[in-house]
Amino acid sequence: DTQWLTAGSGIVHAEMFPLVEPHAANTLELFQIWLNLPAGDKMVPAYFTMLWNEDTPRVGHVDRHGRSSELTVVAGSYGDHATRTPPNSWATQPEAAIGVWHIALEALAEFPLPPAPDDGVNRALYVFDGSWVDVDGAEVKAGTGAVLRSTASPTLRAGTEPTDVMLLQGRPIGEPVAQYGPFVMNTEQEIRQAFVDYQRTQFGGWPWPADDPNHGSAEQGRFARHADGRVEDPDPPVPEG
């Protein structure tokens, strides 16, 4: 699943996950990817949405040796496959060429990467699980990453274990960036104003009685509770009988 949060003019949020196993280890694999907003969209209303796992586009590939790979389109598009993009995001602009792809490769599998639209698009990959990935002769070990030439069409070749890669690409917005703590603006004065705004409004405040509220039990399954009270439940219980 993907949680997409547009901070915009300000929001207070917390990331919490239920204990699926109350008396055992609870393993979590999470990527938090920050995507900047153009100056004209910095103060748009905050927005939250869920991109559920089963609605996320996936593209399978079988190489010349019969080994399989799968690309998941977390953001942007791949060929004719595109994910739903929230409003007021740099990812909604076609010229941004945003791509967040998860590529899962069987051991020794090959996956051909298409080129980015032009050399003005930045592209990097991160090998986060498995052994390594060979990128046209350059070995990138698990736990490390590499910057790719955007207009190249390299073939990724997995090492001796099943391997997972995150590929990130996008065109720079081309505006100055000022950042302090969780605030990202264009100037130092705007950062100072963000602090003033937070002290004055608390960005809407924190409506829960505790800093770490529990919105449901592990037995409840996946759900998303929105600010307006609406609850999304992608796994509704099956009626008995």
Side-chain angles (χ1 to χ4, degrees):
D1 301 323
T2 301
Q3 296 182 348
W4 194 298
L5 172 66
T6 302
S9 58
I11 190 171
V12 179
H13 72 104
E15 292 146 6
M16 294 164 290
F17 304 88
L19 293 178
V20 178
E21 301 291 342
H23 305 293
N26 285 260
T27 302
L28 173 69
E29 194 164 59
L30 169 70
F31 285 91
Q32 186 182 78
I33 300 170
W34 287 41
L35 183 63
N36 197 12
L37 282 170
D41 290 329
K42 279 287 196 293
M43 301 302 289
V44 298
Y47 183 87
F48 168 80
T49 191
M50 289 297 303
L51 307 176
W52 298 106
N53 175 59
E54 55 269 31
D55 299 326
T56 303
R58 287 176 169 79
V59 184
H61 175 76
V62 178
D63 66 19
R64 54 184 175 162
H65 304 294
R67 301 185 180 103
S68 299
S69 306
E70 184 178 68
L71 183 147
T72 302
V73 185
V74 179
S77 62
Y78 176 85
D80 296 330
H81 303 269
T83 191
R84 180 166 51 89
T85 304
N88 300 120
S89 169
W90 184 231
T92 64
Q93 307 302 319
E95 71 273 14
I98 295 297
V100 179
W101 304 336
H102 170 200
I103 306 172
L105 304 100
E106 289 185 351
L108 305 177
E110 299 179 352
F111 186 89
L113 275 181
D118 56 68
D119 58 9
V121 176
N122 293 340
R123 175 179 274 187
L125 65 80
Y126 173 61
V127 183
F128 68 91
D129 195 24
S131 49
W132 69 84
V133 165
D134 180 283
V135 185
D136 280 355
E139 186 178 290
V140 184
K141 297 181 182 297
T144 62
V147 175
L148 307 182
R149 286 187 293 113
S150 303
T151 54
S153 304
T155 296
L156 306 184
R157 297 176 178 84
T160 54
E161 303 174 16
T163 303
D164 289 90
V165 174
M166 287 293 290
L167 187 137
L168 308 175
Q169 76 170 34
R171 190 182 308 280
I173 292 175
E175 298 175 350
V177 174
Q179 184 266 336
Y180 191 91
F183 301 113
V184 181
M185 301 298 290
N186 295 95
T187 67
E188 181 180 344
Q189 179 56 41
E190 290 173 342
I191 291 290
R192 294 178 184 275
Q193 185 61 50
F195 275 95
V196 171
D197 292 344
Y198 176 71
Q199 292 166 354
R200 179 174 54 87
T201 69
Q202 300 295 297
F203 294 161
W206 188 247
W208 318 112
D211 289 338
D212 55 349
N214 184 348
H215 294 299
S217 65
E219 292 75 20
Q220 183 173 350
R222 299 177 301 163
F223 70 95
R225 187 184 304 276
H226 294 257
D228 60 2
R230 178 172 57 93
V231 175
E232 283 186 81
D233 184 358
D235 305 313
V238 178
E240 296 182 1

